[in-house]
């Protein structure tokens, strides 16, 4: 349908998030508050510059190089071993990833970057990697925050960059489906669909850089999931390339023909194969978009209101709730950064958004307002909703500015049934606060309900603290404590960030020994050489 274009010149900031032109320093007043209230000290050493980093040799054997070059049609530009290409494909975008990059740590740098242009070339690359026992890691937008781009096996590996696979393959306006190559970035997919009057409706915080294949591989969930559903709800079919051949799934929107193999591939994070195309459900572009704020006296009261809407309706398209600390910080109150501020209460802010036709939006908005008022909510107008919509993709840029100033900022997320949510919220906050409190200075721990379902919801935590002498080790201890608290409180180790290597051990505990054995059997059949994302999702055997 649409021609393939090369976006090889479009790269994220190599040691930060997104467009380098959008990186802005923190105001001096905020830097001072970080120092006074959280014990943040200015960085003593500047971050390493790209051109200063000494990159080890590619360690790519000549036979393996020839096989990879042959797989991409003998085109040298699609097999890259130069230092900059390899650095830009090193790790993902978690805070530990960025801190390692800023220190010049390139232990997880690939030996080569391969850029296939279509499914058959992906198959050829995978077969070449299997023949030469060369691990291969799919690379879409590079937005992983759970160690999904750094295989656990040491030694040379290949980064399989899918950016050239960015075409619309088919559009069925009658069935309202679209089939895309997996390397297409989300904004371009929306632009293409809008030209036909459709939208996917999937807008996670990584939206500006992430790819459709990445969404499927990690079971992504967008900020409008209350109305459009998660990405795995949208996928009707997909094609998987493996060293052993091709797996095609999805002949119809629903089927009773045995277990649904789509569900085996969704969330597999490159461990079973490389998703090369996805067929997704699309919907008409909404004529109206309205976002507004509601205030509740407490997080418990607000959560009860969201539960009523999620279970009994009418359900907004966007529905989220910040706890007391996140609400206070969101109000841009500088005192919120200190221990005195975190003890105050500005209540809890909920955002309700409505998208659709004029009539449908008005009906759902009126009905939801009645439920929110009955549940103790106070209408806060459209300004909070507009502010949220305008800044919905800005948090990762703020994270970079905090790192530049010497602060540590990171996120984690989970989900649970409604009845378990209060205990889960308290347990994770306590674990993070206990392990990140240093020299009597507690961290700033914020949380919001980001996605709602009839039976439960997700919790998304943001932490800001002093970096300390070894911030990566400091966070590792806190993340471990929080992960243990999540499982003990009945939550899942990840709602939408995925498993990667960071969550793998807790995922193994969550899945159970028999479940892990079954997944290992699948991997052995599809990847007998064990070259696909070793250590991601499952421990290496």
């Amino acid at each position: 349908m649409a021609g393939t274009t090369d976006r090889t010149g479009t790269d994220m900031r190599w040691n930060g998030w997104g467009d380098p032109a959008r990186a802005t320093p923190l105001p001096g007043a905020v830097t001072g508050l970080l120092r006074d209230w959280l014990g943040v000290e200015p960085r003593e050493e500047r971050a390493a510059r790209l051109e200063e980093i000494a990159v080890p040799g590619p360690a790519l054997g000549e036979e393996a190089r020839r096989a990879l070059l042959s797989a991409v049609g003998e085109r040298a530009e699609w097999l890259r071993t130069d230092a900059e290409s390899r650095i830009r494909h090193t790790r993902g975008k978690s805070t530990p990833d960025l801190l390692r990059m800023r220190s010049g740590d390139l232990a997880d740098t690939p030996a080569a970057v391969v850029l296939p242009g279509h499914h058959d070339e992906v198959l050829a690359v995978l077969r070449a990697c299997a023949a030469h026992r060369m691990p291969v890691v799919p690379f879409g937008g590079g937005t992983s925050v759970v160690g999904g781009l750094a295989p656990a096996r040491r030694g040379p590996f290949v980064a399989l960059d899918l950016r050239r696979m960015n075409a619309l393959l088919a559009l069925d306006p009658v069935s309202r489906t679209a089939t895309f190559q997996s390397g297409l970035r989300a904004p371009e997919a929306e632009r293409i669909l809008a030209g036909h009057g459709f939208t996917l409706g999937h807008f996670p915080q990584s939206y500006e850089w992430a790819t459709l294949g990445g969404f499927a591989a990690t079971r992504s969930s967008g900020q409008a999931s209350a109305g459009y559903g998660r990405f795995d709800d949208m996928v009707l079919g997909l094609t998987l390339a493996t060293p052993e051949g091709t797996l095609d799934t999805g002949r119809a929107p629903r089927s009773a023909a045995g277990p649904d193999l789509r569900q085996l591939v969704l969330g597999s994070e490159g461990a079973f194969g490389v998703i090369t195309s996805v067929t997704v459900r699309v919907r008409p572009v909404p004529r109206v978009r309205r976002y507004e704020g509601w205030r509740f006296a407490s997080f418990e009261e607000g959560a009860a209101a969201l539960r009523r809407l999620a279970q009994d309706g009418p359900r907004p398209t966007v529905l989220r709730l910040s706890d007391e600390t996140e609400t206070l910080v969101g109000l841009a109150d500088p005192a919120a950064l200190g221990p005195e501020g975190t003890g105050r209460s500005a209540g809890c802010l909920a955002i309700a958004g409505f998208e659709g036709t004029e009539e449908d939006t008005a009906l759902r908005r009126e009905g939801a307002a009645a439920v929110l008022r009955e549940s103790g909510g106070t209408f806060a107008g459209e300004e909070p909703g507009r502010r949220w919509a305008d800044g919905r993709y800005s948090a990762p840029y703020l994270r970079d500015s905090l790192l530049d100033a010497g602060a540590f900022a990171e996120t984690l997320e989970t989900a649970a049934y409604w009845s378990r949510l209060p205990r889960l919220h308290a347990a994770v906050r306590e674990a993070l606060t206990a392990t990140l409190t240093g020299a009597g200075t507690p961290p700033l721990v914020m949380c919001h309900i980001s996605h709602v379902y009839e039976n439960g919801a997700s919790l998304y935590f943001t932490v800001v603290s002093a970096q300390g002498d070894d911030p990566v080790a400091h966070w590792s201890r806190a993340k471990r404590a929080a992960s243990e608290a999540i499982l003990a409180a009945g939550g899942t180790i990840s709602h939408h960030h995925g498993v990667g290597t960071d969550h793998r051990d807790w995922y193994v505990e969550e899945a159970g020994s028999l479940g892990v054995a079954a997944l290992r059997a699948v991997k052995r059949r599809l990847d007998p050489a064990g070259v696909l994302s070793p250590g991601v999702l499952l421990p290496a055997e």
Side-chain angles (χ1 to χ4, degrees):
M1 297 285 295
T4 300
T5 58
D6 174 25
R7 57 176 179 83
T8 53
T10 305
D11 288 304
M12 259 209 272
R13 184 181 174 190
W14 72 276
N15 62 356
W17 179 265
D19 184 352
R22 291 176 59 183
T24 55
L26 293 174
V30 174
T31 303
L33 288 167
L34 289 169
R35 179 189 63 243
D36 296 341
W37 296 117
L38 296 178
V40 172
E41 298 292 338
R43 293 177 54 87
E44 294 183 0
E45 299 179 359
R46 67 172 176 81
R49 293 194 177 98
L50 181 63
E51 62 274 12
E52 297 173 341
I53 297 178
V55 184
L60 186 67
E62 180 58 26
E63 288 188 11
R65 189 195 68 81
R66 287 201 301 267
L68 292 171
L69 187 62
S70 174
V72 289
E74 303 291 344
R75 297 282 297 275
E77 63 266 39
W78 306 140
L79 174 61
R80 301 178 182 178
T81 57
D82 63 285
E84 181 172 344
S85 294
R86 292 166 60 211
I87 290 173
R88 290 188 178 279
H89 290 78
T90 301
R91 305 190 184 94
K93 298 299 180 182
S94 72
T95 296
D97 287 341
L98 299 187
L99 288 171
R100 290 186 181 108
M101 296 300 290
R102 290 170 178 225
S103 72
D105 177 358
L106 297 179
D108 298 311
T109 300
V113 180
V114 183
L115 296 92
H118 51 78
H119 176 81
D120 287 344
E121 287 191 348
V122 174
L123 285 175
V125 170
L126 297 185
R127 287 167 178 155
C129 288
H132 292 275
R133 293 297 192 269
M134 177 82 73
V136 55
V137 178
F139 192 101
T143 62
S144 171
V145 293
V146 293
L149 301 179
R153 181 189 299 177
R154 293 302 174 188
F157 74 95
V158 169
L160 185 69
D161 190 321
L162 300 169
R163 69 179 64 193
R164 292 178 59 217
M165 298 175 58
N166 60 359
L168 171 66
L169 301 177
L171 179 69
D172 181 349
V174 175
S175 303
R176 291 185 177 176
T177 68
T179 301
F180 292 101
Q181 287 181 308
S182 61
L184 186 67
R185 282 213 326 237
E188 183 64 10
E190 284 295 325
R191 186 194 67 78
I192 292 172
L193 288 173
H196 298 277
F198 293 108
T199 180
L200 188 56
H202 190 70
F203 304 105
Q205 197 168 76
S206 61
Y207 166 77
E208 296 172 309
W209 293 90
T211 62
L212 301 189
F215 290 155
T218 58
R219 291 189 182 273
S220 174
S221 191
Q223 295 168 343
S225 64
Y228 291 99
R230 293 163 52 97
F231 195 78
D232 46 3
D233 298 326
M234 302 175 186
V235 175
L236 302 175
L238 49 80
T239 301
L240 186 76
T242 81
E244 294 295 288
T246 300
L247 182 65
D248 281 310
T249 71
R251 295 178 62 89
R254 292 290 184 272
S255 171
D260 189 346
L261 292 177
R262 287 174 296 188
Q263 298 304 319
L264 184 65
V265 177
L266 292 168
S268 59
E269 301 187 30
F272 297 159
V274 178
I275 297 170
T276 58
S277 68
V278 290
T279 297
V280 290
R281 175 201 70 205
V282 297
R283 291 179 175 170
V285 173
R287 296 186 179 183
V288 176
R289 290 186 174 95
R290 294 190 64 173
Y291 309 106
E292 56 196 28
W294 288 81
R295 196 168 301 282
F296 292 88
S298 69
F299 192 57
E300 292 75 17
E301 185 179 81
L306 265 62
R307 178 171 62 84
R308 284 188 59 184
L309 288 177
Q311 291 180 337
D312 303 322
R315 185 179 294 193
T317 308
V318 173
L319 189 58
R320 51 199 293 123
L321 172 74
S322 295
D323 69 5
E324 291 86 350
T325 304
E326 185 170 283
T327 296
L328 196 60
V329 172
L331 292 175
D333 184 345
L337 291 174
E340 295 178 5
T342 55
R344 297 163 52 194
S345 178
C348 292
L349 180 66
I351 299 296
F354 303 88
E355 300 181 5
T357 64
E358 290 274 4
E359 181 180 8
D360 173 67
T361 298
L363 285 173
R364 285 190 294 127
R365 181 170 174 266
E366 181 180 354
V371 172
L372 293 171
R373 286 195 184 93
E374 289 173 7
S375 302
T378 302
F379 184 59
E382 295 190 9
E383 192 277 334
R386 284 194 297 268
R387 183 148 47 99
W388 170 80
D390 290 342
R392 64 198 298 185
Y393 308 124
S394 62
Y397 290 99
L398 176 60
R399 188 263 305 264
D400 285 353
S401 299
L402 288 167
L403 293 181
D404 293 339
F408 184 94
E410 185 59 298
T411 63
L412 60 86
E413 41 74 51
T414 179
Y417 294 114
W418 286 110
S419 60
R420 298 176 181 173
L421 222 58
R423 178 189 172 200
L424 181 62
H425 179 237
V428 176
R429 281 184 58 89
E430 290 169 6
L432 291 170
T433 300
T435 49
L436 289 172
T437 296
T441 304
L444 186 67
V445 181
M446 300 168 279
C447 180
H448 63 262
I449 293 176
S450 57
H451 306 274
V452 299
Y453 307 95
E454 181 178 353
N455 308 109
S458 70
L459 295 177
Y460 191 96
F461 292 86
T462 301
V463 182
V464 183
S465 70
Q467 286 191 12
D469 295 333
D470 189 343
V472 174
H474 199 34
W475 174 248
S476 178
R477 289 190 294 271
K479 181 65 178 287
R480 179 174 296 277
S483 298
E484 296 292 347
I486 285 171
L487 292 194
T492 178
I493 195 59
S494 178
H495 172 263
H496 58 269
H497 281 172
V499 176
T501 55
D502 293 358
H503 292 156
R504 180 193 60 218
D505 295 344
W506 291 277
Y507 171 65
V508 166
E509 184 176 345
E510 188 174 324
S513 59
L514 184 58
V516 170
L519 294 176
R520 284 193 186 282
V522 172
K523 182 168 177 62
R524 282 194 293 268
R525 178 62 186 90
L526 299 179
D527 177 28
V531 297
L532 294 172
S533 297
V536 173
L537 188 68
L538 297 170
E541 292 190 88

